[in-house]
Amino acid sequence: MSTPQPNYLEDYIESLVSRGVKVSTRKQYLSDLKKFLIWMKVYKGDIELGTLKTLNDNDIEAYISYLSDIGYSDATFRRLLSVLNRFLKHFNIYSPILQDKPKERPLRPLNEDDFISDDEMSKLLKSMRKPSKSEARNHLIERNLAIVCLVRYYGLTPKDITSIRMNAVNFFQHTIQIDSNRSPLIITLQDEHLEYIRDYWNSIDKEIRPRYQSNDPLFVAFFNLTFRFRFNYDTGMPQPLSIRGIQEMIKDEVKLAKLRKISAKHLRNSCILDCLSNAVSINNVLTYFRLSDQFSIRRYQEYLSNNKNNTH
């Protein structure tokens, strides 16, 4: 998704130049702030300076939730919010949340509310399998089940899921390859979860269905008014489901199941906890979940140590 660079962002970067900030640091700031503007364009509808200045605590909390669901490491999470805090202060926009949240991330101990329990997961899946009053939602039962299972049982982030292409899916070997900055991750799917994906894929009209062994996205956006999956005729391929689309879907399914607020982060947290509970080595956990260092899993280890009889 491409978002034009507004003049006020260029002015801010120029102010960093005048203060002698290193080129590498300026490039990092620019990259981090572009992530925020992409979110702002989707969430607020535009990236005008006037809109920026109207952001409130609820908006900032929504952005923080968005970053959490993507699954960034603690270090990246803190950096993104710290850069945003400096950026907003430049325009005399002050957010107590932004000042406190980066400090909270590495320090706050995990508690049971940070995970989805087995009982909650069972209720969620049972609810998701049932048709509802929404005809559009009923078209997406298999797709939604596949996505929720990929997060909960394989620890994928919404960002991982939107990036899956058909040439990374092998229906015969039951595998999906996830690309990352490190070596590619190959996950082996349980039969039930593979069937969700296969049934969803087959439910798409053949003329717009993601082509097997192509660069088409596996998960496709859906137009609720026409009950059809979206196809981008400019690119000649289906339109990928967005990160926000995944987050909103999980939110809606959780609400339909009458559960407390549960996000992709809760599902992924439980997957990480499962691995540690099953004595998977620290190095393997770090590699599999693409975590930056051992500090990233310290809170999970502390939670396990303090809740030895707790299961999820």
Side-chain angles (χ1 to χ4, degrees):
M1 179 178 180
S2 177
T3 299
Q5 189 166 304
N7 291 335
Y8 63 81
L9 177 57
E10 295 180 1
D11 292 342
Y12 176 68
I13 298 301
E14 283 300 316
S15 75
L16 298 180
V17 175
S18 65
R19 286 160 42 196
V21 175
K22 294 188 301 182
V23 173
S24 59
T25 302
R26 297 201 306 267
K27 286 182 177 179
Q28 185 65 68
Y29 274 37
L30 184 59
S31 174
D32 290 348
L33 291 171
K34 282 182 176 179
K35 289 182 176 67
F36 172 73
L37 292 178
I38 288 172
W39 169 87
M40 184 175 160
K41 174 68 175 178
V42 173
Y43 186 80
K44 301 298 289 185
D46 64 66
I47 55 173
E48 299 296 323
L49 181 59
T51 303
L52 182 76
K53 291 186 174 181
T54 65
L55 293 178
N56 56 37
D57 287 348
N58 288 335
D59 297 324
I60 299 300
E61 285 282 14
Y63 181 60
I64 290 171
S65 177
Y66 165 79
L67 294 179
S68 294
D69 283 349
I70 290 177
Y72 287 120
S73 69
D74 287 345
T76 301
F77 177 89
R78 294 195 302 271
R79 190 195 71 235
L80 286 167
L81 296 189
S82 179
V83 169
L84 178 60
N85 190 37
R86 293 190 188 98
F87 174 67
L88 294 180
K89 280 184 177 179
H90 180 78
F91 298 100
N92 296 316
I93 305 169
Y94 296 93
S95 170
I97 296 174
L98 276 179
Q99 294 177 36
D100 296 337
K101 205 70 178 182
K103 299 173 185 176
E104 172 191 321
R105 178 70 174 249
L107 297 176
R108 183 180 70 81
L110 292 168
N111 59 58
E112 63 180 8
D113 291 336
D114 293 302
F115 305 91
I116 182 168
S117 69
D118 289 342
D119 183 56
E120 288 172 328
M121 190 64 189
S122 178
K123 289 178 180 177
L124 177 59
L125 292 177
K126 183 177 180 180
S127 172
M128 291 180 70
R129 294 186 184 107
K130 290 181 180 178
S132 69
K133 295 180 181 179
S134 169
E135 186 175 347
R137 180 263 184 190
N138 293 340
H139 278 273
L140 302 172
I141 288 176
E142 286 77 17
R143 188 202 72 177
N144 294 351
L145 281 166
I147 290 171
V148 166
C149 288
L150 285 173
V151 181
R152 170 59 184 89
Y153 298 114
Y154 305 91
L156 300 189
T157 66
K159 184 179 180 181
D160 291 331
I161 292 170
T162 62
S163 70
I164 298 173
R165 294 294 182 261
M166 289 303 301
N167 53 23
V169 180
N170 191 317
F171 285 131
F172 303 100
Q173 295 183 3
H174 291 209
T175 60
I176 294 178
Q177 178 173 303
I178 306 298
D179 292 327
S180 69
N181 295 331
R182 306 176 190 179
S183 58
L185 169 70
I186 297 178
I187 63 173
T188 301
L189 301 171
Q190 297 177 30
D191 290 346
E192 181 183 13
H193 304 155
L194 179 70
E195 283 306 306
Y196 289 148
I197 294 175
R198 197 196 302 273
D199 289 346
Y200 143 70
W201 182 66
N202 284 322
S203 75
I204 304 174
D205 293 340
K206 196 169 183 179
E207 64 270 19
I208 61 172
R209 183 184 301 162
R211 295 160 294 185
Y212 197 52
Q213 296 183 331
S214 76
N215 198 44
D216 290 354
L218 169 60
F219 291 105
V220 183
F222 189 76
F223 190 41
N224 289 353
L225 296 180
T226 61
F227 308 128
R228 283 179 62 86
F229 288 92
R230 292 180 179 269
F231 191 87
N232 188 327
Y233 290 94
D234 291 333
T235 62
M237 63 175 60
Q239 181 176 322
L241 179 62
S242 67
I243 293 172
R244 181 173 174 80
I246 291 173
Q247 293 170 329
E248 290 299 315
M249 178 276 289
I250 294 175
K251 178 181 176 182
D252 291 342
E253 290 290 354
V254 165
K255 186 176 181 180
L256 198 61
K258 296 185 167 84
L259 298 173
R260 64 188 173 91
K261 288 184 179 180
I262 293 173
S263 70
K265 186 65 175 174
H266 294 80
L267 303 176
R268 179 173 154 90
N269 278 349
S270 291
C271 188
I272 295 173
L273 197 68
D274 284 348
C275 285
L276 292 171
S277 299
N278 292 325
V280 176
S281 74
I282 300 303
N283 286 338
N284 285 341
V285 171
L286 290 172
T287 300
Y288 181 87
F289 292 99
R290 287 90 69 212
L291 300 174
S292 57
D293 51 49
Q294 293 195 19
F295 292 105
S296 302
I297 59 174
R298 177 175 293 174
R299 292 191 306 158
Y300 298 94
Q301 293 172 308
E302 290 175 349
Y303 177 81
L304 280 175
S305 177
N306 294 330
N307 298 270
K308 291 180 180 179
N309 295 322
N310 190 61
T311 58
H312 284 270

